[in-house]
Amino acid sequence: PAQIRRLSLETMVAEADEAVHGTIVASRCFRLDDPLDGPELYYTTLTIQGRTLSSGTPLTIDVTFRGGFVSPTEGVFNSEAPAADDVRVGREVVAFYAWTDDFGAGLATNALVAAHGGLYRAASGPRGTTILGRGEGYAVRANLRVDELEGALRRLYATKPRR
């Protein structure tokens, strides 16, 4: 059953393997059919090039969410997927992700944690890059400079047991 969960930054870190800050350099949608999970399962994978926010390590990673279109007429909207403008190639983002061995149809991937709640847009300004908060109940509820978010995540990930 579907449920709406409120996520603090601490809760997000507990669920996410890592957070990456970078630029979406590629996006692809694909379809899987599975005898157990069903036909016509659509997924979108974003390739994000940037760095981890827990250590600053350079990273290029694929992060996947449910939904998307392989053509203008074939695909599926997913109310929990990020907005199309949030995931366009060239967009600067922060994404929280966690590895899963089966995201559906046997797909092993780094899944976007909390669907659209795990992706945040970034905006550059005169005081540096700001991560755009999404409001009460989201892990990043208010706008934060990327260095502030990075500091908070480094502290949280330093105390998190690794899987």
Side-chain angles (χ1 to χ4, degrees), residues 63-99:
V63 178
T64 302
F65 60 88
R66 291 181 175 97
F69 283 82
V70 295
S71 75
T73 58
E74 183 187 0
V76 66
F77 287 106
N78 182 327
S79 63
E80 290 299 309
D85 194 47
D86 289 347
V87 296
R88 68 176 171 77
V89 172
R91 174 72 65 203
E92 186 179 353
V93 297
V94 165
F96 292 87
Y97 62 89
W99 179 259

Side-chain angles (χ1 to χ4, degrees), residues 80-155:
E80 290 299 309
D85 194 47
D86 289 347
V87 296
R88 68 176 171 77
V89 172
R91 174 72 65 203
E92 186 179 353
V93 297
V94 165
F96 292 87
Y97 62 89
W99 179 259
T100 180
D101 290 328
D102 188 355
F103 198 42
L107 177 63
T109 189
N110 285 303
L112 187 62
V113 174
H116 71 277
L119 186 85
Y120 297 86
R121 288 170 67 163
S124 296
R127 298 176 71 192
T129 301
T130 298
I131 305 306
L132 304 180
R134 305 205 47 210
E136 195 64 39
Y138 285 89
V140 180
R141 63 178 177 78
N143 295 351
L144 285 172
R145 285 194 332 267
V146 72
D147 59 328
E148 294 172 318
L149 180 59
E150 185 172 13
L153 290 176
R154 283 185 182 204
R155 287 187 295 279

Side-chain angles (χ1 to χ4, degrees), residues 54-68:
S54 68
S55 67
T57 305
L59 178 70
T60 299
I61 191 160
D62 289 338
V63 178
T64 302
F65 60 88
R66 291 181 175 97

Side-chain angles (χ1 to χ4, degrees), residues 34-45:
D34 186 77
L36 195 57
D37 292 330
E40 297 187 49
L41 302 173
Y42 292 91
Y43 298 93
T44 300
T45 296

